[in-house]
């Protein structure tokens, strides 16, 4: 008992100081605000480029439909992309200055169109102030799925695995803007793999948004 009293006497000044500080500074209550915008049925119209081939660049247009199960999880049920291909300066230079044409395989591997489906995960949502005048709401997402890629060959249907990331900027309840950067890993043979990088900007229309 005597030792207990000595311990209490030793701790009493510290406890008194802590209580006084708590009374003077009661502390702040932190809270996470709810999302202002939610997605449900999403129709995307996008344009972009296939930039990574040395002999051609693809100018692409994309249409997709996405169903959002929750704020963080969605299924891009279907997407279709058409590519209008333009030969690069390197190809023209080889043909003009060196009278050397790219191999037939370089032409045959050009993408004509792609269709596929993806799962989307959006772990980040936030907002930022621009010049203390306007608040922008955004989210970042990852996606992954499968594709069928049509290349220039007559038998040019190839399976592919699609992975990527993106960001969405909300304009309001019904309109948002998306930036998608994806890579289709195209399986062209038993040992051959081609990477088809796509960079795309799109306008997304949201239908049936929930509160």
């Amino acid at each position: 008992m005597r030792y207990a009293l000595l311990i209490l006497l030793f701790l009493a000044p510290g406890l008194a100081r802590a209580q006084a500080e708590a009374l003077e500074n009661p502390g702040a209550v932190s809270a996470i605000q709810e999302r202002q915008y939610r997605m449900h049925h999403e129709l995307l119209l996008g344009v972009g480029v296939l930039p990574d081939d040395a002999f051609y660049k693809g100018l692409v247009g994309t249409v997709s439909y996405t169903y959002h199960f929750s704020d963080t999880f969605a299924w891009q049920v279907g997407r279709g992309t058409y590519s209008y291909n333009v030969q690069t300066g390197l190809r023209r230079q080889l043909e003009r200055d060196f009278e050397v044409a790219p191999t037939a395989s370089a032409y045959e591997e050009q993408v004509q169109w792609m269709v596929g489906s993806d799962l989307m995960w959006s772990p980040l949502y936030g907002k930022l102030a621009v010049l203390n005048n306007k608040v922008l709401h955004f989210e970042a997402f990852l996606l992954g799925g499968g594709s069928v890629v049509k290349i220039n060959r007559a038998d040019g249907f190839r399976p592919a695995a699609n992975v990527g990331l993106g960001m969405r900027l909300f304009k309001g309840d019904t309109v948002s803007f998306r930036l998608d950067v994806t890579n289709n890993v195209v399986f062209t043979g038993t040992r051959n793999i081609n990477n088809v990088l796509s960079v795309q900007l799109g306008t997304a229309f949201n239908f049936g948004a929930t509160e």
Side-chain angles (χ1 to χ4, degrees), residues 112-127:
Q112 293 181 330
W113 50 262
M114 300 181 287
V115 294
S117 183
D118 307 286
L119 295 178
M120 300 174 62
W121 180 49
S122 306
L124 298 177
Y125 175 87
K127 61 182 180 180

Side-chain angles (χ1 to χ4, degrees), residues 43-194:
L43 176 65
L44 174 71
L45 304 176
V47 293
V49 61
L50 308 181
D52 63 338
D53 193 279
F55 296 114
Y56 83 99
K57 305 300 177 187
L59 306 178
V60 300
T62 295
V63 178
S64 73
Y65 165 74
T66 302
Y67 179 77
H68 292 260
F69 296 98
S70 66
D71 291 337
T72 57
F73 184 67
W75 177 23
Q76 189 164 247
V77 180
R79 54 173 166 78
T81 300
Y82 175 79
S83 179
Y84 177 78
N85 299 326
V86 180
Q87 66 177 359
T88 64
L90 173 62
R91 179 169 183 161
R92 291 193 296 269
Q93 184 179 14
L94 289 174
E95 294 174 341
R96 182 185 66 245
D97 298 341
F98 302 97
E99 297 183 355
V100 175
T103 62
S105 62
Y107 173 77
E108 292 174 347
E109 297 301 328
Q110 293 184 15
V111 173
Q112 293 181 330
W113 50 262
M114 300 181 287
V115 294
S117 183
D118 307 286
L119 295 178
M120 300 174 62
W121 180 49
S122 306
L124 298 177
Y125 175 87
K127 61 182 180 180
L128 55 87
V130 179
L131 299 176
N132 287 328
N133 185 36
K134 186 175 182 179
V135 177
L136 301 179
H137 293 254
F138 68 93
E139 69 175 9
F141 58 86
L142 303 173
L143 59 84
S147 302
V148 174
V149 179
K150 176 62 172 68
I151 58 178
N152 277 345
R153 294 182 181 180
D155 61 341
F157 294 95
R158 299 288 186 267
N162 185 48
V163 293
L165 52 83
M167 180 171 289
R168 182 192 307 277
L169 180 65
F170 291 92
K171 171 72 173 174
D173 290 322
T174 58
V175 177
S176 60
F177 304 104
R178 265 176 59 174
L179 168 66
D180 292 60
V181 181
T182 61
N183 183 54
N184 273 281
V185 182
V186 183
F187 304 96
T188 60
T190 56
R191 297 184 178 179
N192 295 326
I193 294 177
N194 288 339

Side-chain angles (χ1 to χ4, degrees), residues 7-22:
I7 293 173
L8 288 175
L9 290 173
F10 179 77
L11 294 177
L15 293 173
R17 284 196 301 271
Q19 186 176 13
E21 291 177 358

